[in-house]
Amino acid sequence: MTNNSNAKTVANHGVAWERAFGYVQAVQVKGTIYVSGQLSHDDDGKLIAPAELDANGRPVDFSRMEEQIRQTYVNAKKLLAKFGATLDDVVEETLYVLDVPSAFAAGSTVRKEMYATDMPQCASNLIGVSALAFAEQIVEIAFRAVIDKPVD
């Protein structure tokens, strides 16, 4: 984690695409933490539960949606922890998915598991998109969290 001169604190996972694309995974300004779209990778940046692709490089099914969503939440939790936050501090999440019906089914299970409640206390958006950063990726989730932090 690093602080910079304009009162932003940032955090990364240390994966290759952070430098390649030129972004940070999370930024805290005052008591708000903005978490960039997370995906299902391990600590080395290898995708977990990659979707099987067809000859055109498009996912052929979405049966690994639940696994991808679960690992995506795990990665978000790691980032939030760097700021002393948890999923309990999340006020909004946006799921970008390649297949809305499979994401709705998988997400309803995983979200309740990750937030440890049947009614997670955050606003949630589920948005269908035509593509994500990696061909094998079928979900990406961005978060906004608010924590108590004294004003500087």
Side-chain angles (χ1 to χ4, degrees), residues 29-46:
V29 178
K30 297 183 180 179
T32 304
I33 304 162
Y34 303 88
V35 179
S36 297
Q38 296 299 293
L39 54 140
S40 64
H41 62 83
D42 64 15
D43 290 339
D44 296 322
K46 181 181 175 190

Side-chain angles (χ1 to χ4, degrees), residues 23-134:
Y23 76 107
V24 295
Q25 294 284 349
V27 177
Q28 180 181 352
V29 178
K30 297 183 180 179
T32 304
I33 304 162
Y34 303 88
V35 179
S36 297
Q38 296 299 293
L39 54 140
S40 64
H41 62 83
D42 64 15
D43 290 339
D44 296 322
K46 181 181 175 190
L47 288 178
I48 301 294
E52 183 182 333
L53 304 178
D54 66 15
N56 296 316
R58 301 287 300 161
V60 295
D61 75 77
F62 302 97
S63 62
R64 305 201 73 190
M65 184 71 76
E66 186 171 321
E67 292 171 89
Q68 282 201 18
I69 290 173
R70 185 170 285 106
Q71 184 61 40
T72 300
Y73 275 97
V74 167
N75 291 340
K77 287 168 67 171
K78 289 178 185 178
L79 282 173
L80 289 167
K82 292 180 180 187
F83 297 95
T86 69
L87 287 177
D88 288 337
D89 299 304
V90 171
V91 296
E92 183 180 27
E93 63 179 18
T94 302
L95 292 81
Y96 300 95
V97 301
L98 295 188
D99 185 72
V100 171
S102 63
F104 190 86
S108 64
T109 298
V110 177
R111 290 179 71 253
K112 292 172 183 178
E113 172 189 320
M114 289 293 157
Y115 286 101
T117 181
D118 283 342
M119 187 66 70
Q121 299 297 296
C122 67
S124 185
N125 309 292
L126 179 62
I127 299 172
V129 298
S130 61
L132 292 166
F134 300 107

Side-chain angles (χ1 to χ4, degrees), residues 126-143:
L126 179 62
I127 299 172
V129 298
S130 61
L132 292 166
F134 300 107
E136 301 88 355
Q137 179 187 356
I138 54 179
V139 63
E140 181 171 312
I141 309 174
F143 300 84

